Amino acid sequence: MLKEDSLKDKVIVITGGGTGLGKAMGKYFVELGADLIIASRKMDVLEATAKELSESYDRNVLPVQCDVTDYSSVENLLKTSVDKFGRVDVLLNNAAGNFISPTERLSHRAFDIIINIVLKGTYNCTLAFGKHWIKEKQKATVLNIVTTYAFTGSAYVVPSAAAKAGVLALTRSLAVEWAKYGIRFNAIAPGPFPTKGAWDRLLPGDMKDKFDLAKKVPLKRVGEHQELANLAAYLVSDFSAYINGEVITIDGGEWLKGAGQFNMLEMVPEEMWDIIEQTVRKTKGS
Ligand code: HXC
Ligand code: NAP
């Protein structure tokens, strides 16, 4: 979507950058000229992705083992990135944990693990990188990946919904507070974009076939990874320099379809509308 070299020489850290949507966004960033640091817990996965991306696009892709729930691990990520590239321009908080479960079945540790990865992981990274940027008087951009149920809430993924809502509040709060330091904050709320990580935990086994998420989307399809990458690249690029504190939904209209009170009327067959119209018209003057 963006022209060649739109992200030239930007240094971008992506948490959870070895798999799924993090990998897809990273791939497009290097294609547009960025250098990358990809960080998560599984070093073998990160190394394979780093090799694939750096060979394809002749840019630097540095894999760094990091558990975002651990502040000292995040500080190590910052130090390793700055030692290698001299600076970091963009932090993309993408790492997440999630699984479906009735909430009453969760142990407090199960609740903790999701909140710790999603909300604590995001504030750990934001705080460590933010303090560094403020000290160095460096302009920067933070992009946070949330979900549409950050605004609506969702049954059966309650720790994730609570954590993503917290990430959205953090995004909007710091967009105002740290604007004076030249640090921009935005978020993306994706709808369904099939990835192994998400689908194995949210639609396990034959649930994939029983619950076709494409059917919930007015556009009747799930998202393509490149569509998300296009939006992310724009939001971390200088073309979006005046966008701050925004959350952009990319879901084919899915959450609005669930919200509109009469949206279910799409199930009414075309031929029934004549009868319905006549019935309603008969109420005139009553
Ligand atoms: C109930 C569960 C559980 C399950 C784990 N636990 N899975 N409880 N149902 N299915 C409990 C464990 O019993 C334990 O509690 C606690 O949670 C911690 O589990 P661990 O396995 O020790 O944790 P860990 O190895 O750190 O793994 C974290 C994880 C795992 C979140 C459970 O799934 C993971 O690593 N996920 C990372 C990737 C991911 O989730 N990607 C999907 C993002 S999708 P006890 O009490 O027994 O000690 C996404 C999409 C949103 O966010 C929107 C989609 C449309
Ligand atoms: P994914 O491939 O499972 O990505 C999650 C990533 O987070 C993994 O790379 C994982 O790597 C990393 N991670 C988990 N715990 C971590 C920790 N403690 N420290 C560091 N990294 C950790 O799933 P995805 O679908 O691409 O999700 C990416 C983002 O999009 C998430 O924020 C998710 O909530 C969001 N999202 C996805 C969808 C969708 O439809 N796919 C929809 C809405 C929002 P390790 O296991 O190596 O640590």
Side-chain angles (χ1 to χ4, degrees):
M1 180 187 85
L2 294 181
K3 65 185 182 199
E4 216 172 286
D5 291 341
S6 288
L7 299 178
K8 190 162 170 46
D9 299 329
K10 282 210 186 290
V11 179
I12 302 180
V13 169
I14 307 181
T15 65
T19 64
L21 302 182
K23 179 178 174 182
M25 292 185 278
K27 183 166 179 281
Y28 192 42
F29 296 169
V30 290
E31 195 181 329
L32 292 170
D35 288 325
L36 280 193
I37 300 101
I38 52 175
S40 76
R41 298 165 300 179
K42 298 192 192 95
M43 196 56 182
D44 53 335
V45 174
L46 293 171
E47 278 168 347
T49 297
K51 187 165 181 290
E52 183 187 328
L53 298 191
S54 53
E55 280 175 5
S56 306
Y57 299 102
D58 199 25
R59 298 297 309 187
N60 297 301
V61 182
L62 179 69
V64 179
Q65 188 164 38
C66 173
D67 181 343
V68 294
T69 67
D70 173 6
Y71 195 74
S72 61
S73 183
V74 169
E75 285 185 310
N76 177 61
L77 168 64
L78 171 64
K79 184 176 180 319
T80 311
S81 306
V82 174
D83 285 352
K84 166 83 177 172
F85 295 106
R87 63 171 206 290
V88 171
D89 301 297
V90 175
L91 168 65
L92 173 43
N93 285 307
N94 165 80
N98 202 358
F99 51 78
I100 47 166
S101 176
T103 306
E104 68 275 17
R105 290 172 61 99
L106 295 175
S107 68
H108 65 88
R109 283 178 296 272
F111 219 113
D112 283 346
I113 188 69
I114 304 303
I115 300 279
N116 285 347
I117 299 171
V118 177
L119 180 54
K120 186 175 183 187
T122 299
Y123 70 68
N124 276 348
C125 292
T126 304
L127 196 62
F129 282 74
K131 282 173 184 282
H132 169 77
W133 288 324
I134 292 166
K135 186 163 140 264
E136 297 296 319
K137 297 188 171 25
Q138 196 206 314
K139 290 185 175 178
T141 295
V142 178
L143 179 61
N144 294 328
I145 306 299
V146 295
T147 67
T148 52
Y149 60 61
F151 352 121
T152 61
S154 175
Y156 302 102
V157 283
V158 170
S160 171
K164 293 287 193 182
V167 172
L168 185 53
L170 178 142
T171 308
R172 290 172 166 153
S173 305
L174 286 177
V176 174
E177 189 179 331
W178 285 0
K180 61 177 178 277
Y181 300 121
I183 306 172
R184 254 181 344 120
F185 282 80
N186 289 297
I188 296 178
F193 283 79
T195 64
K196 183 168 167 37
W199 261 228
D200 283 357
R201 294 171 175 91
L202 302 175
L203 294 167
D206 65 359
M207 285 176 80
K208 289 177 191 62
D209 310 316
K210 291 204 169 110
F211 299 94
D212 179 2
L213 292 191
K215 289 195 181 134
K216 291 180 67 219
V217 181
L219 292 178
K220 298 286 178 226
R221 66 174 178 88
V222 293
E224 289 173 20
H225 289 194
Q226 186 61 41
E227 293 175 317
L228 179 75
N230 290 343
L231 177 58
Y234 170 65
L235 287 175
V236 302
S237 78
D238 296 336
F239 295 114
S240 64
Y242 201 52
I243 300 182
N244 185 32
E246 194 52 78
V247 54
I248 301 187
T249 297
I250 177 166
D251 73 343
E254 183 201 31
W255 88 266
L256 283 172
K257 182 175 175 179
Q261 197 152 36
F262 289 94
N263 288 352
M264 77 292 187
L265 293 182
E266 74 171 358
M267 288 187 302
V268 174
E270 198 57 40
E271 59 275 16
M272 269 192 71
W273 278 109
D274 283 341
I275 302 166
I276 293 171
E277 183 180 338
Q278 283 162 23
T279 312
V280 175
R281 282 179 183 279
K282 275 188 204 149
T283 63
K284 194 174 175 180
S286 66

